[in-house]
């Protein structure tokens, strides 16, 4: 499907007023000029990406390289959400509940089409944590049942299962892996070796938030299914980050945030549950028995704004306007630009694989002899560069996540700042 056809196909999910700003037209026009070019070639086309950059309203006095936490939305998404909020406040009991809330079904269908599932398997949530906890807390488990995951999963997801340990007597087992690991097969083998007769659930990251390591999800899901083990996929950092569909995963449960790489409004996500599994999972908040097999039971959270989830439609249009392959190629291009440059130093340890099957836009590096927390603070205080210091029991480093609005100059400024620390050390004031 061409970029323009994809745009037109989703446009029905957003109101016509959503396109008053010309950003989308400029994105599409730029795309048509590079039509037929390989994504890797477009990744280095600064004229093309300049049009994408102009669609955002970011403050360029900062170099924001923490887009893995939460991304800014492009102007067209912000404007859509503002319009929905304005309409909501005209007479909320009618304009929000009766006019806007039903439009979530259009968003559901659009997201399901992008992910590759049936709309009746797609719940609209507020974030990956809500999505994943619905399954983590909703599966029936008995004392002694074991859950298997890695030491690199997101802290909130680990905390959720540790609460079940205290409450239900289940057992959480975690396995480490090297950063980066030698292969995807090694990651699969580590899970397989750690299985026991009591393993009932596997929690696996599609891509980790710490180093950006992609996992062999399809292999792990099939391994679990063959043994009667439920496999929950933590896709918080994956959706709209790099191209894939449900067919590439063959999973039963998948939770993600949409305010990261899709650039949807903050506080949006989705939960996929295979239709046959829906009746087996209790929702986080109570639902009536007639909803047992209805994916919407996971959306029973009480009063909530319609503006956030309705504006997801505009984010999907914007994402498709760029194209998933181009987007992933650009993210790898920007990450490799600073990571390969800094990797030339013998003092830099790279914790992220350069293999495109194992990573995408997230990079993690460590400067040996320099505390990562101190280094991150120095970069912000001296250059207004935003990165995330990672202090893990098994490694430490800086997590650096550029975005489609990031310029090559910005990643070069980050690399230059780190090189300066490598050459001269931290100033006395920063070293404390």
């Amino acid at each position: 499907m061409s970029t323009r056809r994809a745009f037109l196909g989703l446009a029905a999910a957003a109101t016509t007023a959503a396109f008053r700003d010309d950003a989308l037209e400029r994105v599409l026009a730029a795309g048509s000029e590079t039509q037929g070019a390989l994504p890797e070639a477009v990744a280095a086309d600064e004229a093309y990406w300049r049009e994408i950059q102009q669609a955002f309203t970011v403050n360029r006095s900062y170099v924001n390289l923490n887009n893995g936490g939460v991304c800014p939305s492009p102007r067209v998404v912000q404007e859509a959400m503002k319009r929905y909020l304005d309409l909501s406040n005209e007479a909320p009991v009618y304009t929000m509940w009766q006019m806007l809330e039903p439009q979530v079904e259009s968003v559901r269908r659009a997201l399901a089409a992008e992910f590759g599932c049936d709309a009746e398997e797609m719940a609209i949530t507020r974030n990956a944590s809500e999505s994943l906890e619905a399954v983590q807390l909703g599966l029936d488990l008995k004392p002694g049942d074991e859950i298997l995951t890695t030491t690199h999963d997101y802290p909130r997801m680990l905390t959720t299962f540790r609460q079940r340990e205290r409450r239900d007597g289940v057992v959480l087992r975690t396995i480490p892996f090297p950063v980066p690991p030698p292969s995807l097969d090694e990651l699969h083998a580590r899970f397989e070796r750690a299985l026991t007769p009591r393993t009932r659930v596997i929690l696996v990251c599609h891509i980790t938030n710490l180093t950006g390591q992609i996992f062999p999800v399809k292999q792990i899901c099939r391994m679990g299914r063959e043994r009667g083990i439920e496999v929950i996929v933590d896709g918080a950092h994956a959706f709209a980050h790099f191209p894939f569909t449900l067919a590439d995963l063959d999973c039963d449960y998948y939770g993600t945030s949409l305010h990261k790489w899709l650039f949807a409004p903050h506080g949006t996500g989705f939960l996929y549950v295979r239709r046959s599994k829906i009746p087996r999972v209790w929702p986080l908040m109570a639902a009536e028995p007639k909803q047992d097999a209805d994916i919407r039971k996971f959306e029973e959270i009480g009063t909530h704004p319609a503006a956030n989830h309705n504006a997801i439609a505009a984010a999907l249009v914007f994402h498709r306007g760029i194209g998933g392959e181009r987007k992933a190629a650009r993210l790898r291009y920007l990450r490799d630009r600073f990571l390969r440059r800094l990797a030339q130093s013998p003092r830099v340890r790279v914790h992220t694989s350069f293999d495109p099957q194992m990573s995408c836009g997230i990079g993690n590096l460590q400067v040996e002899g320099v505390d990562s927390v101190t280094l991150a603070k120095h970069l912000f205080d001296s250059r207004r560069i935003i990165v995330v210091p990672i202090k893990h029991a098994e490694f430490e480093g800086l997590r650096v996540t550029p975005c489609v609005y990031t310029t090559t100059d910005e990643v070069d400024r980050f690399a230059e700042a780190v090189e300066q620390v490598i050459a001269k050390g931290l100033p006395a004031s920063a070293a404390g």
Side-chain angles (χ1 to χ4, degrees):
M1 180 181 290
S2 69
T3 299
R4 183 165 292 276
R5 285 179 62 198
F7 164 74
L8 293 173
L10 264 182
T15 62
T16 302
F19 311 115
R20 290 172 183 162
D21 189 275
D22 68 348
L24 277 172
E25 288 302 321
R26 292 173 63 179
V27 168
L28 292 169
S32 66
E33 292 173 5
T34 55
Q35 192 169 8
L38 292 174
E40 291 74 19
V42 178
D45 185 344
E46 296 309 317
Y48 171 81
W49 293 103
R50 195 169 297 115
E51 295 296 330
I52 307 300
Q53 293 154 8
Q54 294 305 310
F56 289 82
T57 61
V58 296
N59 184 344
R60 294 288 176 181
S61 67
Y62 299 100
V63 177
N64 182 10
L65 297 177
N66 180 17
N67 293 283
V70 60
C71 281
S73 295
R75 185 182 293 107
V76 68
V77 176
Q78 296 178 46
E79 292 301 326
M81 183 171 171
K82 289 172 186 175
R83 281 192 308 279
Y84 293 136
L85 279 173
D86 287 343
L87 181 57
S88 294
N89 282 286
E90 289 181 9
V93 294
Y94 177 72
T95 55
M96 185 174 74
W97 285 351
Q98 303 300 319
M99 293 177 63
L100 292 178
E101 187 61 32
Q103 293 180 28
V104 73
E105 297 304 323
S106 295
V107 177
R108 189 189 316 280
R109 290 190 292 269
L111 278 173
E114 186 73 17
F115 185 62
C117 71
D118 189 285
E120 294 303 314
E121 299 174 311
M122 172 71 65
I124 311 300
T125 65
R126 291 171 290 186
N127 48 59
S129 294
E130 180 179 340
S131 301
L132 294 166
E133 287 191 55
V135 184
Q136 290 180 272
L137 299 173
L139 289 172
D140 286 326
L141 296 173
K142 303 187 297 294
D145 286 349
E146 293 182 358
I147 300 115
L148 179 63
T149 188
T150 75
T151 55
H152 294 222
D153 211 301
Y154 194 62
R156 181 178 294 277
M157 288 29 271
L158 296 173
T159 297
T160 300
F161 275 135
R162 285 173 181 143
Q163 178 175 287
R164 289 209 71 170
E165 282 188 303
R166 301 194 305 273
R167 187 184 70 186
D168 301 327
V170 300
V171 178
L172 176 64
R173 299 179 62 239
T174 58
I175 53 174
F177 61 90
V179 289
S183 68
L184 292 175
D185 287 341
E186 168 63 18
L187 293 173
H188 172 263
R190 283 177 177 254
F191 269 100
E192 190 169 38
R193 289 195 298 267
L195 296 176
T196 77
R198 299 197 68 90
T199 305
R200 297 292 179 267
V201 178
I202 293 173
L203 172 65
V204 59
C205 281
H206 193 174
I207 176 172
T208 65
N209 73 295
L210 300 177
T211 65
Q213 175 62 49
I214 295 174
F215 272 71
V217 171
K218 193 169 192 175
Q219 287 178 271
I220 293 170
C221 286
R222 287 183 171 177
M223 174 183 69
R225 190 173 293 117
E226 290 168 358
R227 294 165 171 79
I229 298 170
E230 302 281 17
V231 181
I232 306 169
V233 183
D234 180 347
H237 285 264
F239 187 73
H241 182 171
F242 49 90
F244 66 91
T245 65
L246 175 61
D248 300 312
L249 309 176
D250 195 25
C251 61
D252 293 332
Y253 310 100
Y254 193 95
T256 190
S257 290
L258 301 177
H259 49 241
K260 296 182 186 289
W261 302 101
L262 186 64
F263 316 145
H266 305 153
T268 53
F270 78 65
L271 167 65
Y272 160 78
V273 181
R274 190 180 295 272
R275 187 180 290 220
S276 62
K277 298 281 189 176
I278 295 172
R280 307 182 191 183
V281 183
W282 295 92
L284 279 176
M285 294 193 183
E288 295 185 13
K290 65 182 180 181
Q291 292 180 285
D292 282 351
D294 188 346
I295 192 69
R296 294 162 189 78
K297 71 182 182 181
F298 300 111
E299 300 170 1
E300 290 290 332
I301 59 171
T303 301
H304 58 276
N308 300 52
H309 59 57
N310 282 11
I312 293 170
L316 276 166
V317 172
F318 187 83
H319 171 70
R320 287 189 170 182
I322 298 173
E325 294 286 351
R326 287 182 175 182
K327 188 176 186 178
R330 177 63 171 182
L331 294 174
R332 287 193 178 99
Y333 174 81
L334 291 172
R335 185 209 58 184
D336 287 358
R337 187 179 177 97
F338 71 80
L339 206 55
R340 291 189 184 278
R341 173 175 169 176
L342 293 172
Q344 296 176 31
S345 169
R347 289 184 57 193
V348 171
R349 296 184 60 185
V350 176
H351 299 312
T352 302
S353 172
F354 286 110
D355 182 344
Q357 297 300 311
M358 301 233 289
S359 67
C360 191
I362 299 174
N364 187 299
L365 64 96
Q366 175 186 0
V367 178
E368 292 186 338
V370 181
D371 178 76
S372 297
V373 173
T374 305
L375 177 54
K377 184 177 186 302
H378 166 70
L379 291 173
F380 183 77
D381 291 345
S382 64
R383 307 281 189 108
R384 288 299 184 260
I385 296 172
I386 304 172
V387 295
V388 181
I390 301 294
K391 283 277 198 174
H392 192 269
E394 296 158 28
F395 65 93
E396 71 168 89
L398 299 180
R399 189 190 74 181
V400 186
T401 49
C403 193
V404 295
Y405 68 81
T406 306
T407 67
T408 52
D409 176 67
E410 287 170 332
V411 295
D412 289 347
R413 284 157 61 190
F414 164 72
E416 178 187 353
V418 175
E419 287 171 340
Q420 188 175 56
V421 171
I422 293 171
K424 301 180 179 179
L426 290 168
S429 58

